[in-house]
Amino acid sequence: MNASNGGRRTIIAIVLALSALRGSALAQQTSTTQTHAADPPEDHSAEAADVAKQLANPIANMVSIPFQFNWQVHIAPFDSTRFQPVVPMTLNDNWNLIMRFILPFMGQPVTSLGGFPESGTSDITLSLFFSPSKSKLIWGVGPAFGIPTSTDPQLTSGKFSVGPTAVVLRQEGPWTVGALVNQLWSYGSVASYFTRSVNQMFLQPFVAYQMKHAVTLTLDSESTFDWEASSDQRSTVPIIALISKVTRLGPFPFSIQGGAGYYVWRPDGAQHWLGRLNFVLILPREKKK
C-alpha cells in the first residue's frame, strides 16, 4: 500500500468515526429533548462565546478536533490537510496533561523535469504539555516528538526527532496574547538514504481578539527555522490573518475559520502566499462536580 492510498484510507476512517459519533450524539440529544421537553432552552450564545475564548488557547481544557486545509500559492498545486486533535487529561487537582497531535496530508507538485506529483502523509508532530490548572498566567511545558510516516523523500524528513516544547499565554477580557515554541533534533532514520539531520525550531506568536456573536480575529506567525540550512535559507516566516465563528454542528459546538497569509521570509523557490480553511469540532468533556 503506498502512502497516498494509506492517507486516503486514514481520512475515510476518521470521517466515518466522526459520523458515527455525531449520529450517536444526535440520537442521545433527541432522547434527552423528548424526556425534558419542558426544560428551559440552553443559552447557546454564552456557550459559543466561551468556546471561542477557549479555542484561542492552544492548551485549553477541552477536546477539539481541527481539520485544517492549506493552499500555498507560487508552487501550486501544492496543498496540505492537517488533522490535529487536542486532548486534555486531568492528572490531579493541580495539573493537566494536554496532548496535541498533528498529522499532515501533503500534496507536492512536480519539482523536476520528468518527475511526478507526490501525495501522502508527512511527519507527525506529537506534543505533550504539563500545565497547571490553577494559574492566572496559562502555560505548559513538555516534550515534542517528530515521527516520520513515509519513506518518500518528497514528503518526509525520514528522521525520528525529539526536543522540548512550551506555550505561554494571557487572556484578559476579549484579548488573548501568547506564543508556542518547540525545538526538534533527530536521533534516528527510517532508511539509510536519509542522511540530513533535523535541527529545526517552530515558533508561533499569536494575538486574538474576541468580538460579539462568538467571532474571533487572530493574527499569528507559524515560523520554522531550519538550523541545518545556510543562513539565508533557514527561515520560513508567514504573517497569517484569520477570522473564525463558533456555531453548532448537531449537539456539538463547531468553529469555522478562514484566512490568508504572506511569507515575509522564505527559502528560494518556496511559497509566497497561504490560504487557509479550518473546521474545528468540539467534543463535550465531563465537568467536575
Side-chain angles (χ1 to χ4, degrees):
M1 180 177 66
N2 60 35
S4 178
N5 290 334
R8 293 191 186 98
R9 292 180 184 179
T10 303
I11 294 175
I12 292 171
I14 291 167
V15 171
L16 289 176
L18 290 176
S19 298
L21 178 62
R22 179 172 179 263
S24 175
L26 284 171
Q28 183 179 5
Q29 184 190 46
T30 301
S31 174
T32 303
T33 302
Q34 292 172 349
T35 304
H36 303 282
D39 290 347
E42 297 180 16
D43 187 356
H44 293 313
S45 61
E47 179 194 36
D50 179 64
V51 169
K53 185 173 184 177
Q54 292 190 67
L55 284 174
N57 175 3
I59 55 171
N61 190 27
M62 66 180 185
V63 180
S64 62
I65 304 178
F67 288 88
Q68 185 184 104
F69 302 88
N70 297 296
W71 296 269
Q72 302 187 51
V73 184
H74 175 67
I75 54 173
F78 181 91
D79 60 79
S80 68
T81 302
R82 292 183 180 181
F83 172 62
Q84 43 187 34
V86 177
V87 180
M89 291 170 280
T90 301
L91 298 179
N92 53 46
D93 291 339
N94 297 315
W95 290 91
N96 294 323
L97 173 64
I98 295 90
M99 181 187 76
R100 299 182 80 238
F101 178 93
I102 301 176
L103 172 60
F105 298 88
M106 310 294 291
Q108 176 71 44
V110 176
T111 57
S112 61
L113 186 64
F116 297 93
E118 304 285 350
S119 62
T121 56
S122 185
D123 296 350
I124 291 171
T125 302
L126 173 63
S127 301
L128 300 176
F129 296 92
F130 294 90
S131 176
S133 56
K134 301 173 183 177
S135 174
K136 198 165 186 180
L137 182 68
I138 302 170
W139 59 273
V141 295
F145 305 91
I147 306 169
T149 63
S150 173
T151 56
D152 188 334
Q154 297 293 326
L155 303 174
T156 179
S157 67
K159 296 285 187 177
F160 293 94
S161 53
V162 67
T165 185
V167 62
V168 61
L169 63 121
R170 181 70 179 265
Q171 292 188 308
E172 196 74 39
W175 291 96
T176 300
V177 179
L180 184 151
V181 63
N182 67 50
Q183 168 68 43
L184 295 175
W185 294 277
S186 57
Y187 63 88
S189 301
V190 295
S192 58
Y193 52 81
F194 290 106
T195 58
R196 191 173 186 271
S197 299
V198 171
N199 180 5
Q200 182 171 288
M201 184 175 76
F202 173 80
L203 175 62
Q204 183 184 11
F206 55 88
V207 57
Y209 180 77
Q210 185 178 342
M211 303 188 298
K212 294 181 179 180
H213 310 297
V215 174
T216 302
L217 299 177
T218 303
L219 188 68
D220 72 5
S221 178
E222 300 169 6
S223 304
T224 57
F225 301 92
D226 181 0
W227 306 119
E228 293 293 315
S230 58
S231 59
D232 61 338
Q233 301 293 309
R234 64 177 48 149
S235 302
T236 303
V237 181
I239 303 298
I240 306 171
L242 301 160
I243 183 169
S244 61
K245 162 69 177 174
V246 173
T247 179
R248 294 188 70 81
L249 180 64
F252 302 128
F254 186 71
S255 174
I256 303 173
Q257 183 185 65
Y262 179 74
Y263 289 84
V264 293
W265 286 286
R266 58 191 179 274
D268 294 341
Q271 58 270 29
H272 289 183
W273 291 91
L274 166 72
R276 174 171 296 172
L277 189 60
N278 200 18
F279 301 97
V280 185
L281 180 66
I282 311 300
L283 299 184
R285 190 173 185 225
E286 185 178 354
K287 295 181 180 179
K288 289 184 176 180
K289 296 183 179 179

